[in-house]
């Protein structure tokens, strides 16, 4: 059995991976508070090199799945060192350790490595040009891992949300219960991607990749795009959330959603206006593809609705 170390097991993607990866090997989770609800869990502050090295030596994994990251995009502008530590130096350290130990690393990155000036879905080898510190730090992490010499997969995903955590879906549902009217940007386009589907796809990809001989794993190492099919603007995403959430009685009524430009909602970090990823490489290499973003939304909403019903019945 392979020993799999999952970092960031309390995050949106990490939480789902902790429930999806056990069939693949002996899963050991690591979180900042030492608890993940499932599987054995180690404590580690991944911003601290000694704590991380100690964790790696203690667990001695065959495979590291890194779902930990600094994801506060706006705060990264004011705290670049903290973002770089998690998003760039941590993958560099993991790559160096794995290269030395003969281990493999699966890591996540983002659509924010692109500048958003596109007119077709971004391919893995398109030129990167991040607009802010978060994207720069994630790109530096990709490059450090790729340059480390270890067997690795880097899955770039986008617009992640889930039934838990900090995300656009939960923010919209909260605001819908508080307000009659909302303003949402309509000039950024991307593919909302649910964490449970990212985790399920990751498990399938890992199972296929790890079944290969080391050299074949090495041949398939690199960057892959993993996002929902189809695309929408944040405004369209909000409208669809409200329509479907009302239908499954998660909200009593839909607020009015006014479409605005990004210039009317200034944020410390600039966001790419075109974030759609081309997932062809992943499909052709691992035979894995995610469904349309609207199907993914229905699934997360029905999980939320079932959860609300159970809570009400109890
Ligand atoms: P989350 O922010 O939900 O989770 C990140 C996890 O990292 C948290 O559990 C957090 O721990 C952990 N973490 C942060 N700092 C430390 C630390 N010093 N020590 C230990 N753990 C730490 O991220 P997502 O699940 O949304 O993202 C997963 C991946 O996908 C990341 O690589 C991200 O860059 C990428 N991605 C995310 C997008 C999004 O929209 N969210 C879009 C595109 C890509 P704690 O729970 O204790 O805070």
């Amino acid at each position: 059995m392979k020993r799999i170390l999952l970092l960031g097991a309390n995050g949106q993607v990490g939480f789902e991976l902790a429930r999806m990866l056990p069939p693949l090997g002996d899963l050991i989770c690591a979180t900042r508070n030492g608890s993940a609800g499932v599987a054995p869990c180690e404590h580690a502050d991944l911003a601290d090199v000694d704590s991380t090295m100690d964790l790696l030596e203690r667990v001695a994994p065959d495979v590291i799945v890194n779902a930990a990251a600094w994801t506060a995009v706006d705060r990264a502008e004011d705290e670049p060192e903290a973002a770089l530590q998690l998003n760039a130096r941590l993958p560099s350290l993991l790559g160096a350790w794995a290269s030395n130990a003969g281990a493999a690393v699966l890591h996540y990155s983002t659509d924010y490595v692109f500048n958003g000036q596109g007119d077709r879905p971004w391919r893995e080898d398109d030129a990167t040009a991040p607009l802010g510190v978060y994207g720069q730090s994630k790109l530096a992490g990709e490059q450090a891992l790729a340059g480390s010499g270890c067997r690795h997969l880097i899955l770039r995903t986008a617009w992640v949300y889930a039934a838990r955590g900090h995300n656009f879906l939960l923010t919209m549902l909260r605001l819908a219960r508080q307000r009659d009217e909302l303003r949402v940007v309509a000039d950024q386009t991307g593919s909302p991607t649910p964490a449970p589907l990212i985790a399920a796809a990751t498990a399938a990809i890992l199972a296929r990749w790890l079944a290969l001989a080391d050299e074949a794993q090495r041949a398939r190492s690199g960057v892959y795009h993993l996002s929902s099919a189809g695309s929408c603007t944040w405004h369209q995403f909000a409208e669809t959330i409200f329509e479907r959430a009302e239908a499954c009685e998660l909200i009593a009524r839909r607020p009015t959603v006014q479409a605005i430009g990004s210039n009317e909602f200034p944020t410390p970090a600039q966001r790419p206006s075109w974030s759609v990823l081309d997932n062809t490489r992943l499909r052709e290499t691992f035979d894995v593809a995610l469904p349309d973003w609207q199907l993914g939304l229905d699934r997360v909403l029905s999980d939320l609705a079932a959860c609300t019903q159970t809570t009400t019945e109890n």
Side-chain angles (χ1 to χ4, degrees):
M1 282 284 255
K2 290 198 186 309
R3 284 168 78 74
I4 304 174
L5 174 62
L6 169 61
L7 307 178
N10 279 334
Q12 295 191 91
V13 174
F15 179 88
E16 306 295 339
L17 285 168
R19 280 139 192 89
M20 211 63 85
L21 295 181
L24 270 61
D26 281 333
L27 180 66
I28 299 111
C29 296
T31 62
R32 222 185 322 224
N33 63 12
S35 154
V38 290
C41 189
E42 299 275 336
H43 165 272
D45 177 3
L46 300 170
D48 183 273
V49 173
D50 291 340
S51 170
T52 308
M53 284 304 290
D54 187 52
L55 173 75
L56 294 170
E57 296 298 336
R58 208 164 58 234
V59 175
D62 302 301
V63 184
I64 302 166
V65 177
N66 180 29
W70 176 284
T71 54
V73 175
D74 288 322
R75 266 179 59 208
E77 297 297 315
D78 292 329
E79 298 175 59
E81 266 306 305
L84 278 166
Q85 190 61 34
L86 249 283
N87 295 346
R89 292 188 200 114
L90 175 64
S92 171
L93 188 84
L94 298 178
W97 187 89
S99 177
N100 198 39
V105 179
L106 184 142
H107 175 69
Y108 295 94
S109 190
T110 171
D111 52 312
Y112 282 24
V113 298
F114 296 115
N115 66 7
Q117 301 301 307
D119 52 9
R120 58 157 175 79
W122 296 104
R123 291 195 283 257
E124 287 80 354
D125 52 3
D126 281 330
T128 50
L131 297 174
V133 170
Y134 169 74
Q136 285 159 9
S137 67
K138 292 296 294 184
L139 180 60
E142 286 186 6
Q143 290 167 341
L145 184 58
S148 71
C150 74
R151 289 169 285 126
H152 66 276
L153 295 177
I154 297 167
L155 304 178
R156 281 189 196 139
T157 189
W159 293 28
V160 178
Y161 69 97
R164 59 187 291 289
H166 298 286
N167 59 62
F168 185 82
L169 168 68
L170 296 183
T171 302
M172 287 299 114
L173 292 177
R174 177 172 49 79
L175 292 177
R177 296 179 187 116
Q178 296 169 350
R179 299 191 197 164
D180 297 325
E181 190 175 326
L182 300 175
R183 301 160 79 235
V184 180
V185 296
D187 57 2
Q188 291 170 27
T189 301
S191 308
T193 308
L197 296 189
I198 295 173
T202 300
I205 293 161
L206 257 187
R208 283 162 208 176
W209 188 56
L210 293 175
L212 302 170
D214 280 11
E215 274 322 299
Q217 284 181 31
R218 211 170 272 290
R220 285 165 183 76
S221 288
V223 177
Y224 294 86
H225 289 170
L226 167 64
S227 63
S228 294
S231 63
C232 61
T233 66
W234 288 115
H235 177 264
Q236 289 165 332
F237 189 30
E239 289 275 38
T240 312
I241 288 170
F242 296 140
E243 183 193 310
R244 313 246 167 135
E246 186 185 40
C248 60
E249 298 180 357
L250 277 166
I251 54 173
R253 54 178 173 70
R254 288 190 240 174
T256 310
V257 192
Q258 193 191 333
I260 60 166
S262 301
N263 58 346
E264 293 173 81
F265 189 73
T267 49
Q270 197 190 337
R271 267 77 172 163
S273 53
W274 176 255
S275 262
V276 184
L277 301 176
D278 182 332
N279 299 304
T280 308
R281 185 173 185 218
L282 189 73
R283 195 179 60 243
E284 289 181 347
T285 310
F286 292 108
D287 196 22
V288 167
L290 297 190
D292 189 83
W293 66 270
Q294 302 198 33
L295 287 176
L297 175 62
D298 284 340
R299 178 176 155 177
V300 175
L301 285 176
S302 58
D303 285 352
L304 268 175
C307 190
T308 309
Q309 206 173 4
T310 313
T311 314
T312 315
E313 281 165 8
N314 290 340

